[in-house]
Amino acid sequence: MTYAFPPGGLPDQSVNPEGTAVFTPAYAVLPAVTQRDIVTSFLPGWKGMRMWVLARPLSGFAETFSQYAVELEPGGGTDAPEDDPEAQSVVLIARGGVTLNIDGKVHNMAEGGYAYIPPEATWTIWNDGAETAQLHWVRKRYVPADGVDLPEAFVTSDKEVAPIEMPDCDGVWATTRFVDPTDLRHDMHVNIVTFKPGGRIPFAETHVMEHGLYVLEGTADYLLNTDWVSVEPGDFMWLRAFCPQACIATGDGPFRYLLYKDVNRHMPL
């Protein structure tokens, strides 16, 4: 298993600037080649960090979540990562390791580590190792529901959760679900989707959920609205509600991506 991350750096002057980035009313594609040093941001209260903002709530587009790729130098981190007490988070470690403390419980997370952090939690994150740590961070403001408790924090890893094969697909399409879909405490899912070579979504999904899809490994041809786009490790796809979508995995290895979607709540009127 591998976990792609923004390449940083800067292409040299011989590179043709014409690229494959796309922004439409229905979807956006941020290829890995666009995720360079000159588009990083920094956050107050952090030490030795930089981040790529891949998605943010945008009126008339995708409005429910933000998604970052965060790099922490050795000794980098923060005791106050979140400034919104209503925000919940998912963190996936792409490279290196971090020490995550959630409400006083310490977790040493390595590559492939996955954490869910509920709203109102007190948490810290530090890179206590000797190499740079890289992680994906998805944030959504939690939507309470009558009679439904807040979800609890948990820490696991990609290796500890078995993918679940999708029906009628001969095992070529599977989803690693870190949260039970019937657990109504959760109003977002952040899963890892895996296709074996040649595997596909065999219809154009068209639904209310918004998506952030970060390609962790492999290649595919992806249908976005009416366009087929070739994607590879490090490419990010950002989909508003009801954007038609499907894919066909290409190449000789698995095609895997980190997938956000909003679920399990009334639509605000």
Side-chain angles (χ1 to χ4, degrees):
M1 297 177 183
T2 60
Y3 305 90
F5 194 80
L10 192 67
D12 64 43
Q13 292 293 296
S14 68
V15 175
N16 186 337
E18 183 177 359
T20 57
V22 179
F23 187 81
T24 77
Y27 71 90
V29 178
L30 282 65
V33 71
T34 67
Q35 300 163 29
R36 298 295 186 170
D37 288 354
I38 60 173
V39 293
T40 55
S41 295
F42 307 90
L43 286 177
W46 289 69
K47 174 185 175 183
M49 76 87 74
R50 64 175 183 169
M51 69 178 186
W52 287 264
V53 178
L54 302 170
R56 49 153 287 186
L58 191 63
S59 179
F61 194 71
E63 301 179 339
T64 61
F65 75 108
S66 66
Q67 186 160 342
Y68 309 148
V70 178
E71 194 167 75
L72 293 178
E73 298 174 1
T78 182
D79 287 329
E82 181 57 72
D83 64 0
D84 186 344
E86 298 179 32
Q88 60 190 320
S89 292
V90 163
V91 170
L92 175 73
I93 309 302
R95 192 165 298 115
V98 300
T99 301
L100 179 68
N101 185 319
I102 308 174
D103 292 328
K105 188 171 183 179
V106 176
H107 307 271
N108 295 310
M109 299 179 67
E111 183 175 306
Y114 180 106
Y116 170 76
I117 305 163
E120 303 179 9
T122 298
W123 59 289
T124 69
I125 186 168
W126 289 94
N127 177 8
D128 296 322
E131 64 174 304
T132 297
Q134 298 173 333
L135 57 98
H136 297 283
W137 181 10
V138 179
R139 302 167 63 242
K140 179 185 183 294
R141 183 170 288 179
Y142 186 72
V143 179
D146 287 344
V148 177
D149 294 333
L150 281 177
E152 299 172 350
F154 66 87
V155 176
T156 182
S157 78
D158 184 17
K159 298 175 183 177
E160 295 176 14
V161 180
I164 298 172
E165 293 183 1
M166 303 297 282
D168 303 319
C169 70
D170 297 322
V172 298
W173 176 12
T175 302
T176 303
R177 294 191 174 105
F178 297 94
V179 168
D180 183 342
T182 65
D183 185 346
L184 297 185
R185 296 177 302 168
H186 289 272
D187 68 349
M188 75 168 179
H189 293 161
V190 181
N191 301 326
I192 293 178
V193 180
T194 302
F195 291 90
K196 294 180 180 178
R200 63 185 61 199
I201 298 174
F203 68 105
E205 294 186 28
T206 309
H207 52 64
V208 70
M209 283 86 81
E210 298 175 351
H211 281 334
L213 297 89
Y214 196 93
V215 180
L216 300 172
E217 181 179 357
T219 61
D221 292 331
Y222 224 100
L223 175 66
L224 300 169
N225 198 13
T226 59
D227 308 315
W228 283 95
V229 178
S230 295
V231 294
E232 59 186 24
D235 291 352
F236 179 71
M237 292 169 278
W238 185 17
L239 281 61
R240 65 174 295 171
F242 301 109
C243 175
Q245 60 200 267
C247 76
I248 302 173
T250 56
D252 299 325
F255 172 62
R256 306 174 72 233
Y257 55 84
L258 186 69
L259 172 71
Y260 159 88
K261 62 180 176 180
D262 51 314
V263 293
N264 297 343
R265 291 296 185 268
H266 263 306
M267 301 300 101
L269 300 179

